[in-house]
Amino acid sequence: MPDVHCTVNTCKYWQQQNLCSAQQIVIQSDAQGGFSPNAKLEQLSATPANNIDETCCQTFKNAHA
Ligand code: SF4
């Protein structure tokens, strides 16, 4: 799987340096997700989420649940 960069650092699949360790991910369009991506991925700030409804990624699982 290609590198997937993600700032949702409360997800069980999130790893240091904003990398996703999930074997597969589900993505929706911006019409559902909201914002366009920032080209400077390595500079993005953390965007923690408490549940799947707060992310654009439908594979999110709360690391602390
Ligand atoms: S929110 Fe999605 S892209 Fe981000 S670490 Fe979790 S599974 Fe991966």
Side-chain angles (χ1 to χ4, degrees), residues 4-8 11-15 19-22 24-27 55 57-61:
V4 174
H5 296 260
C6 176
T7 58
V8 184
C11 179
K12 70 179 283 189
Y13 300 116
W14 184 88
Q15 294 183 331
L19 289 170
C20 173
S21 66
Q24 64 174 26
I25 57 172
V26 178
I27 305 297
T55 78
C57 176
Q58 298 305 307
T59 307
F60 171 88
K61 291 199 184 311

Side-chain angles (χ1 to χ4, degrees), residues 1-63:
M1 181 170 168
D3 288 349
V4 174
H5 296 260
C6 176
T7 58
V8 184
N9 63 346
T10 51
C11 179
K12 70 179 283 189
Y13 300 116
W14 184 88
Q15 294 183 331
Q16 293 294 324
Q17 302 184 341
N18 291 331
L19 289 170
C20 173
S21 66
Q23 292 300 305
Q24 64 174 26
I25 57 172
V26 178
I27 305 297
Q28 293 180 298
S29 70
D30 276 353
Q32 291 291 323
F35 303 97
S36 300
N38 186 319
K40 296 182 179 177
L41 294 169
E42 68 281 1
Q43 297 177 359
L44 293 177
S45 300
T47 57
N50 295 309
N51 58 63
I52 201 167
D53 293 331
E54 295 180 3
T55 78
C56 300
C57 176
Q58 298 305 307
T59 307
F60 171 88
K61 291 199 184 311
N62 192 320

